[in-house]
């Protein structure tokens, strides 16, 4: 039977390629581990200040330090686990030859490797959801009703616009370009950098493309400001084209997930549009992981920590994968969210 030492398993995990999703990979590309469960960092939200003019007879003028808030958050704990029983390793696994001579120990290694993949993917799906919440709401609700956990991480993001019915992009009288231009200009004004991607929900991209003003902008006689040339990037991500004078590339993201109520939702909320930077909006901060091993508490500064433990009375072996990730935006004014056809009651 294999000896599953935590540090040896950590080394194996480090060489495995991570399962990364579009929002996580694109907007929170950096990763940092910490030596505490709680992390403290600066969240930028302020104006750019010019140096004041000063008389030659005066040494200088004081300008206030501003533009960020220091916040401290407890990193949420994710700890999915799997049970391995005697029955699991005694009978052949799916796809295994009926006359296979594989030993229970070999099946155990194979099942634990598969369990690691499954648990890792479940953590990455939750992390993608966390990034979604930060991007579209600026806050994250960490709730575990069974164990009485109810905490909110709020970064103070307010750059969300729900258009009124007279400005819906589905109307033939409304031109989306000036609205996008104003939002882009505001981000540049507040942060000094220009967004370069526009991510649409799957139910909104057709509304945008079929808008008569957008169709007119595709015409070569009008300088072809909007270029629509759809291309499948992967099974969930589609590149549609670009808006030349805004420097924005257009995508739709059609990934889905089962929420905590068991209902299927789109990663991009229905009717939503995200204007952001493809170089990233922040990072993933990983808190310290502490667990009990052979009667002693041990701590690990790592993105994920495995644990194999046994219940000899029940004759089961448990495999747990723990992670404490928290998406951190660098500047909450550097992206914006639009609901061009209003916001549905389910999303308010």
């Amino acid at each position: 039977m294999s000896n599953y030492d935590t540090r040896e398993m950590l080394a194996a995990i480090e060489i495995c390629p991570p399962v990364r999703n579009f929002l996580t990979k694109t907007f929170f590309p950096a990763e940092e581990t910490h030596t505490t469960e709680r992390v403290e960092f600066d969240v930028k939200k302020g104006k750019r200040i010019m140096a004041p003019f000063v008389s030659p007879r005066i040494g200088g003028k004081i300008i206030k330090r501003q533009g960020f808030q220091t916040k401290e958050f407890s990193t949420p704990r994710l700890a999915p686990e799997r049970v391995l029983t005697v029955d699991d390793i005694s009978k052949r696994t799916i796809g295994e030859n009926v006359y296979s001579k594989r030993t229970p120990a070999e099946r155990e290694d194979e099942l634990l490797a598969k369990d690691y993949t499954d648990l890792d993917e479940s953590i990455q799906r939750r992390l993608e959801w966390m990034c979604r919440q930060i991007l579209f709401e600026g806050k994250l609700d960490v709730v575990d009703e069974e164990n009485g956990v109810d905490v909110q991480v709020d970064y103070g993001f307010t750059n969300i616009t729900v258009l009124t019915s007279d400005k819906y992009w589905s109307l033939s009288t409304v031109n989306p370009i000036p609205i996008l231009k104003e939002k882009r200009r505001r981000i540049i004004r507040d942060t000094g950098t220009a967004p370069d991607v526009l991510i649409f929900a799957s139910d909104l991209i057709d509304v945008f493309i079929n808008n008569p003003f957008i169709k007119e902008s595709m015409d070569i006689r009008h300088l072809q400001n909007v270029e629509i040339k759809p291309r499948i990037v992967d099974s969930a991500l589609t590149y549609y084209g670009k808006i030349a004078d805004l420097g924005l590339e257009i995508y739709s993201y059609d990934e889905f997930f089962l929420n905590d109520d068991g209902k299927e939702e789109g990663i991009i909320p229905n009717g939503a549009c995200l204007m952001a930077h493809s170089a990233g909006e922040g990072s993933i901060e990983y808190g310290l992981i502490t667990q009990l091993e052979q009667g002693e508490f041990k701590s690990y500064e790592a993105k994920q920590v495995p644990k194999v433990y046994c219940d000899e009375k029940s004759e089961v072996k448990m495999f747990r994968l723990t992670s404490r990730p928290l998406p951190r935006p660098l500047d909450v004014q550097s992206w914006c969210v639009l609901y061009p056809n209003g916001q549905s009651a389910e999303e308010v």
Side-chain angles (χ1 to χ4, degrees), residues 194-344:
D196 60 354
V197 290
L198 205 57
I199 315 295
F200 284 88
S202 56
D203 66 332
L204 184 63
I205 186 64
D206 288 338
V207 172
F208 177 76
I209 291 175
N210 291 320
N211 179 279
F213 289 93
I214 298 302
K215 284 187 172 182
E216 184 178 306
S217 295
M218 296 181 207
D219 196 318
I220 192 68
R221 292 171 297 177
H222 295 85
L223 303 180
Q224 203 171 8
N225 181 41
V226 177
E227 181 183 68
I228 300 297
K229 293 183 177 179
R231 170 172 53 85
I232 302 298
V233 179
D234 62 35
S235 58
L237 183 66
T238 303
Y239 169 81
Y240 273 88
K242 60 185 178 181
I243 305 175
D245 69 349
L246 299 183
L248 292 171
E249 293 192 339
I250 304 167
Y251 292 86
S252 73
Y253 186 37
D254 302 319
E255 185 65 283
F256 297 87
F257 69 96
L258 287 178
N259 64 24
D260 293 331
D261 296 325
K263 297 180 180 179
E264 193 171 74
E265 289 186 46
I267 283 289
I268 307 298
N270 287 340
C273 174
L274 172 72
M275 183 186 294
H277 300 83
S278 62
E281 298 291 354
S283 60
I284 306 297
E285 310 290 324
Y286 289 90
L288 187 73
I289 297 171
T290 301
Q291 59 191 27
L292 188 64
E293 297 177 5
Q294 298 178 346
E296 295 182 3
F297 287 103
K298 295 186 179 181
S299 298
Y300 300 91
E301 182 185 350
K303 293 183 292 184
Q304 295 179 344
V305 176
K307 179 179 180 179
V308 175
Y309 64 100
C310 301
D311 182 346
E312 295 188 4
K313 183 178 180 180
S314 301
E315 293 189 338
V316 298
K317 178 174 283 189
M318 308 290 291
F319 176 45
R320 177 190 300 162
L321 193 60
T322 303
S323 184
R324 298 192 70 114
L326 179 63
R328 167 208 174 178
L330 299 176
D331 187 339
V332 293
Q333 291 178 306
S334 66
W335 79 92
C336 73
V337 174
L338 288 126
Y339 287 90
N341 275 1
Q343 196 171 13
S344 69

Side-chain angles (χ1 to χ4, degrees), residues 8-193:
E8 290 179 359
M9 294 177 72
L10 271 173
I13 286 174
E14 286 298 321
I15 63 175
C16 293
V19 178
R20 300 302 299 270
N21 296 313
F22 176 66
L23 295 185
T24 308
K25 178 176 63 178
T26 305
F27 300 114
F28 297 90
E31 298 175 327
E32 185 173 348
T33 57
H34 295 266
T35 57
T36 60
E37 293 180 358
R38 296 184 66 85
V39 296
E40 185 179 275
F41 45 76
D42 298 329
V43 178
K44 184 180 178 184
K45 188 174 184 179
K47 305 292 184 181
R48 293 173 289 166
I49 303 173
M50 290 197 301
F53 291 109
V54 178
S55 168
R57 293 182 294 276
I58 299 177
K61 285 185 179 179
I62 295 173
I63 61 174
K64 294 180 180 179
R65 293 185 179 92
Q66 63 173 16
F68 69 88
Q69 291 180 321
T70 300
K71 296 193 175 187
E72 184 182 58
F73 299 106
S74 179
T75 50
R77 182 173 180 265
L78 307 178
E81 60 184 18
R82 277 274 173 84
V83 178
L84 188 67
T85 68
V86 173
D87 290 341
D88 291 328
I89 63 174
S90 299
K91 59 186 179 183
R92 71 183 185 90
T93 58
I94 185 170
E96 185 178 339
N97 190 293
V98 176
Y99 304 105
S100 171
K101 296 181 179 179
R102 233 183 304 190
T103 66
E106 290 171 334
R107 289 198 186 101
E108 178 185 345
D109 289 341
E110 181 181 328
L111 284 170
L112 284 173
K114 185 179 184 304
D115 286 345
Y116 164 72
T117 299
D118 291 345
L119 298 183
D120 173 64
E121 288 181 353
S122 74
I123 288 175
Q124 297 302 330
R125 280 192 292 270
R126 175 61 74 176
L127 181 55
E128 180 82 341
W129 175 86
M130 293 166 72
C131 292
R132 171 214 203 232
Q133 297 301 103
I134 298 302
L135 288 169
F136 287 93
E137 298 183 16
K139 57 189 177 182
L140 177 67
D141 291 314
V142 181
V143 179
D144 181 356
E145 295 180 357
E146 184 177 338
N147 294 294
V149 176
D150 191 350
V151 179
Q152 186 177 83
V153 176
D154 192 341
Y155 291 112
F157 174 69
T158 58
N159 205 0
I160 303 173
T161 301
V162 181
L163 297 183
T164 55
S165 58
D166 60 325
K167 295 182 180 178
Y168 282 2
W169 290 2
S170 56
L171 298 176
S172 61
T173 55
V174 176
N175 186 352
I177 298 297
I179 298 171
L180 292 172
K181 185 175 292 186
E182 190 278 327
K183 294 301 175 185
R184 176 179 179 271
R185 186 182 294 117
R186 176 180 172 180
I187 291 174
I188 295 173
R189 181 196 69 195
D190 290 343
T191 68
T193 57

